[in-house]
Amino acid sequence: MANVNRLRDFVIEATHLVEKHRDNESALLAEAKPLLAGLIASDDWLPEDYAVADPLRYRQYLLHADPLERLSVVSFVWGPGQRTPVHDHRVWGLVGVLRGAELSTGFSRASDGRLVPGQEDRIESGDVVAVSPTIGDIHSIANALPDAPSISIHVYGGNIGAVRRASFDPQTGEERLFISGYSNERLPNLWDRSRENG
Amino acid sequence: MANVNRLRDFVIEATHLVEKHRDNESALLAEAKPLLAGLIASDDWLPEDYAVADPLRYRQYLLHADPLERLSVVSFVWGPGQRTPVHDHRVWGLVGVLRGAELSTGFSRASDGRLVPGQEDRIESGDVVAVSPTIGDIHSIANALPDAPSISIHVYGGNIGAVRRASFDPQTGEERLFISGYSNERLPNLWDRSRENG
Ligand SMILES: [Fe+3]
Ligand SMILES: [Fe+3]
Ligand SMILES: [Mg+2]
């Protein structure tokens, strides 16, 4: 049985951080990064429904949304060969690899409008990387494994599935607006403490 | 398709009320009652999974829990003949009848310890009643319909499924502590605004 209590405790602490650092993104990220690293240090808590890869495209399963939409926690599941387009977020985001490994590439905009890729980083399970409009908001993520799914847990400073944002043609820099939504109609119930020991 | 946006908008407004009236229960209830009445005025938003009666006992489906456990929203479904024991809450609570009709009885404690029932009120769909340690916290609720389920939407000032509270033998007043938990392992995803029109 999944130890969903780990996710619940993470959600509670992340909510406190968002309230504590309302107007200070760097202080928030400084505390939220190790909090997410702590969550992904164990791989015994994600219910199986939210770890299922789709043969056609990556999935994004909402695990928790703050009722005031200041925070969301999402399980991204990439099958072999799957990757995001180049895209932005418009809110801060943290990517923590739970299972497998991923390739993360940041992009910056050149004077002629094209998007220039930075270094491609291989992020392993346990690693956390950050994005935001302040520190660099445009990236792509791919599954680094050719033969197995990879899963990362993402935390955002908003209801990411409802944010109007952009994907890009990296050659031309041309943007296409999108709202991602989520892959799931049901969320895990994190709140039934009567099912736990102790 | 269920108009879950109604429930989402209720959750957002109820969260604002809890933050606004942290230490003023009567002000909170004065605003939360009409808010719940507005939610239950329409019966087109509860996903079917959370309206299913069980042949053996009433069900309590968590619909939303506040991440700081200041609020929970629960769908109670009573089959014909089903009723709660006499019980308390230890936090404020609102009961709004969505479908069918219910019988609500408040209890007060006599000097010899026994629990004395007050009037039995029949509450119809659209009605809202309140409980709390301040205004009277001990009651029982029964389905008023002999041949169909009834459903009420309950809102509490805490994570009600995790509260250690009591049921009572009304004859002796003797209490038995319990933690109710919830009937469901999955919650509705209220946050996918990409699935909505407009
Ligand atoms: Fe991203
Ligand atoms: Fe009750
Ligand atoms: Mg590394």
Side-chain angles (χ1 to χ4, degrees):
Chain A
M1 167 126 173
N3 291 319
V4 291
N5 57 307
R6 290 194 204 278
L7 178 56
R8 185 188 64 225
D9 293 345
F10 173 84
V11 162
I12 293 169
E13 290 309 312
T15 304
H16 285 302
L17 288 183
V18 166
E19 296 198 340
K20 180 178 169 192
H21 298 300
R22 271 169 216 268
D23 298 311
N24 189 340
E25 180 187 286
S26 68
L28 172 64
L29 292 179
E31 289 200 65
K33 268 185 170 182
L35 186 67
L36 178 57
L39 177 67
I40 62 171
S42 305
D43 186 10
D44 61 357
W45 56 267
L46 184 67
E48 284 183 24
D49 292 359
Y50 308 101
V52 177
D54 178 89
L56 295 179
R57 53 159 292 156
Y58 66 95
R59 287 202 173 165
Q60 38 204 319
Y61 298 108
L62 181 66
L63 299 176
H64 169 75
D66 179 70
L68 300 181
E69 292 171 279
R70 301 165 301 183
L71 187 69
S72 53
V73 183
V74 184
S75 170
F76 276 70
V77 183
W78 280 272
Q82 291 175 357
R83 61 180 311 126
T84 68
V86 179
H87 65 277
D88 68 12
H89 308 84
R90 311 207 178 180
V91 293
W92 61 262
L94 292 171
V95 175
V97 180
L98 180 69
R99 203 174 296 174
E102 297 172 10
L103 300 172
S104 166
T105 307
F107 289 79
S108 53
R109 201 179 276 279
S111 54
D112 64 1
R114 285 184 306 164
L115 290 174
V116 180
Q119 185 182 305
E120 182 182 78
D121 292 318
R122 184 181 166 104
I123 50 178
E124 306 285 345
S125 68
D127 292 343
V128 175
V129 297
V131 289
S132 91
T134 311
I135 64 177
D137 197 34
I138 302 178
H139 75 166
S140 66
I141 295 186
N143 189 354
L145 304 184
D147 53 2
S150 290
I151 300 177
S152 46
I153 304 303
H154 297 207
V155 186
Y156 298 97
N159 176 5
I160 193 67
V163 174
R164 189 172 170 83
R165 52 198 176 111
S167 63
F168 301 90
D169 179 329
Q171 304 304 317
T172 64
E174 195 183 359
E175 71 176 40
R176 192 177 65 86
L177 290 171
F178 76 105
I179 297 173
S180 69
Y182 298 108
S183 306
N184 53 319
E185 291 195 10
R186 294 289 177 262
L187 308 182
N189 183 351
L190 309 179
W191 308 101
D192 190 346
R193 296 177 179 273
S194 75
R195 299 185 183 188
E196 286 156 33
N197 302 317
Chain B
M1 169 127 173
N3 292 318
V4 291
N5 57 305
R6 291 194 204 278
L7 177 56
R8 184 188 63 225
D9 293 346
F10 173 83
V11 163
I12 293 169
E13 290 309 311
T15 305
H16 285 303
L17 288 183
V18 166
E19 296 199 340
K20 180 179 169 191
H21 298 299
R22 272 169 215 269
D23 299 310
N24 189 340
E25 180 186 287
S26 67
L28 173 63
L29 292 178
E31 290 201 65
K33 267 185 170 183
L35 187 66
L36 178 58
L39 177 67
I40 61 172
S42 305
D43 185 12
D44 61 357
W45 56 266
L46 183 67
E48 284 183 24
D49 293 0
Y50 308 101
V52 177
D54 179 269
L56 295 179
R57 51 160 292 156
Y58 65 94
R59 287 202 172 164
Q60 39 204 320
Y61 298 108
L62 181 66
L63 299 176
H64 169 76
D66 180 71
L68 301 181
E69 293 171 278
R70 300 164 302 184
L71 186 69
S72 52
V73 184
V74 185
S75 170
F76 277 70
V77 183
W78 282 271
Q82 293 175 356
R83 61 181 310 125
T84 68
V86 179
H87 65 276
D88 67 13
H89 308 85
R90 313 211 176 177
V91 292
W92 61 262
L94 292 171
V95 176
V97 180
L98 180 69
R99 204 174 295 175
E102 298 172 7
L103 299 171
S104 167
T105 307
F107 288 80
S108 53
R109 201 179 277 280
S111 53
D112 63 2
R114 284 184 306 164
L115 290 175
V116 180
Q119 185 181 307
E120 182 182 77
D121 292 317
R122 184 182 166 105
I123 50 179
E124 305 286 345
S125 67
D127 292 343
V128 175
V129 298
V131 290
S132 90
T134 311
I135 62 177
D137 198 34
I138 303 179
H139 75 168
S140 67
I141 295 186
N143 189 353
L145 304 184
D147 53 2
S150 290
I151 301 177
S152 47
I153 305 303
H154 298 209
V155 185
Y156 299 97
N159 177 5
I160 193 68
V163 174
R164 189 174 173 83
R165 53 201 177 109
S167 64
F168 301 91
D169 180 326
Q171 304 305 318
T172 64
E174 194 182 2
E175 71 175 40
R176 193 178 63 85
L177 290 171
F178 75 105
I179 298 175
S180 70
Y182 297 108
S183 306
N184 54 320
E185 292 195 9
R186 295 288 178 263
L187 309 182
N189 181 352
L190 308 179
W191 307 101
D192 190 346
R193 295 177 181 272
S194 76
R195 299 185 183 190
E196 285 156 34
N197 303 317

